[in-house]
Amino acid sequence: MSQAHTNPQTGIQIKHLSVVYPNGKEALHDANVSLKSGAITALVGMNGAGKSTLFKTIMGFLRAKTGQITIASMPLSYARKKQLVAYMPQAEDVDWNFPVSVWDVVMMGRYGYMNWLRIPRSRDRHIVRESIERVGLWELRDRQIGELSGGQKKRVFLARALAQQATILLLDEPFAGVDVTTERSMIELLVGLQQQGHTILISTHDLASIQGFCDQVILINRTILDYGETADVFTPENLSRAFGGNIADLSVSKAWLMQKEAS
């Protein structure tokens, strides 16, 4: 384990977390991890390893069987109430046929600041515009979300997270289905947010890009296998543990692994 395990400056702290689905299947078992504030951390594991389960538990969509999660040393429920955490879901978790525009989706990031009537103020509209412009979608603000490309859809939900003004961003597979240019622009935006003090947890299958922008890595396979500084944790040996020899998941990074092992 690296020094990051004992660093007292923690954005998210998870202790002995276990999550069991209603059908009795245990999705996470005794997971323990501490994330430094102000870092970009990659969450790495094969399909079904518990990445989305971890995100949804942090967001309160799933209930933990045991364990504790704190955000910036606050109880999870309080941190969510304070709008400290924003979430970008996977594409398959979104109803793209729902009749809402880009503007409408991004405005949802402001709901926590509105009264029960959800009438936006001028400040809300200003922040929504700023967020849409920041991800380069202002000209498409009135477009129905189902009409967007894969990369544009991702950027809409990133803009919603920006509009929420959360200090912690949870991004579930933000690069899935996007082209290289879009991925690079999103990474540049994430690095800029980190430089402003945001804490970012991102699950990704694009292992080739992790070393270029992630400070830390978490390896997950139904529990936390290891975590810490990228240089310490992101090794071929650890990836083999995380993926369990699953060729389908490792194929996305096969060239990277061969290059790493040869160096």
Side-chain angles (χ1 to χ4, degrees):
M1 298 291 183
S2 72
Q3 292 181 352
H5 291 252
T6 57
N7 192 312
Q9 185 184 28
T10 304
I12 303 176
Q13 188 168 52
I14 298 170
K15 295 182 178 179
H16 304 297
L17 181 69
S18 294
V19 180
V20 178
Y21 286 127
N23 63 6
K25 178 182 177 181
E26 187 175 51
L28 281 176
H29 174 72
D30 196 28
N32 295 274
V33 65
S34 294
L35 302 186
K36 291 192 302 184
S37 61
I40 299 178
T41 301
L43 181 63
V44 176
M46 62 185 176
N47 291 329
K51 300 187 298 294
S52 293
T53 297
L54 181 60
F55 281 138
K56 291 175 181 178
T57 305
I58 294 172
M59 293 305 301
F61 304 147
L62 294 174
R63 176 176 288 185
K65 180 181 179 181
T66 61
Q68 181 184 51
I69 303 174
T70 56
I71 303 288
S73 301
M74 302 177 189
L76 186 57
S77 58
Y78 184 72
R80 290 198 302 260
K81 186 176 181 180
K82 296 282 287 183
Q83 302 295 312
L84 295 183
V85 187
Y87 172 59
M88 176 195 286
Q90 289 195 39
E92 53 263 35
D93 292 334
V94 179
D95 180 4
W96 298 110
N97 295 317
F98 197 73
V100 289
S101 67
V102 170
W103 176 272
D104 296 330
V105 172
V106 179
M107 183 61 75
M108 291 176 188
R110 301 299 303 165
Y111 282 179
Y113 299 95
M114 300 179 191
N115 61 25
W116 65 274
L117 292 174
R118 290 182 176 171
I119 298 175
R121 301 162 298 172
S122 59
R123 173 172 171 77
D124 297 316
R125 290 190 290 270
H126 172 75
I127 291 173
V128 167
R129 173 168 184 154
E130 190 177 64
S131 301
I132 296 174
E133 288 178 338
R134 193 164 187 181
V135 301
L137 292 177
W138 180 246
E139 293 183 355
L140 301 178
R141 62 191 179 278
D142 296 323
R143 188 76 57 87
Q144 197 272 335
I145 57 171
E147 299 174 358
L148 302 176
S149 68
Q152 290 168 345
K153 290 173 180 175
K154 298 287 186 180
R155 283 187 280 161
V156 169
F157 280 87
L158 181 55
R160 184 182 71 171
L162 295 178
Q164 187 178 322
Q165 295 186 303
T167 56
I168 296 176
L169 305 179
L170 309 179
L171 311 180
D172 199 353
E173 297 291 349
F175 306 137
V178 307
D179 57 48
V180 174
T181 301
T182 299
E183 179 176 341
R184 286 175 179 168
S185 65
M186 290 177 69
I187 288 174
E188 289 177 4
L189 179 55
L190 295 177
V191 171
L193 292 170
Q194 180 210 15
Q195 292 171 348
Q196 294 174 5
H198 287 75
T199 300
I200 301 169
L201 178 60
I202 173 173
S203 71
T204 178
H205 279 87
D206 187 4
L207 305 187
S209 66
I210 286 175
Q211 287 185 307
F213 77 103
C214 293
D215 306 294
Q216 295 182 299
V217 171
I218 300 171
L219 298 177
I220 186 171
N221 192 351
R222 303 292 179 86
T223 191
I224 303 301
L225 300 175
D226 197 4
Y227 69 96
E229 303 299 322
T230 300
D232 297 333
V233 176
F234 197 59
T235 66
E237 294 79 15
N238 278 343
L239 288 173
S240 294
R241 290 173 59 206
F243 286 92
N246 189 312
I247 302 302
D249 282 297
L250 280 174
S251 63
V252 297
S253 59
K254 184 177 179 181
W256 179 86
L257 281 169
M258 292 175 64
Q259 180 181 5
K260 183 76 174 179
E261 290 173 341
S263 62

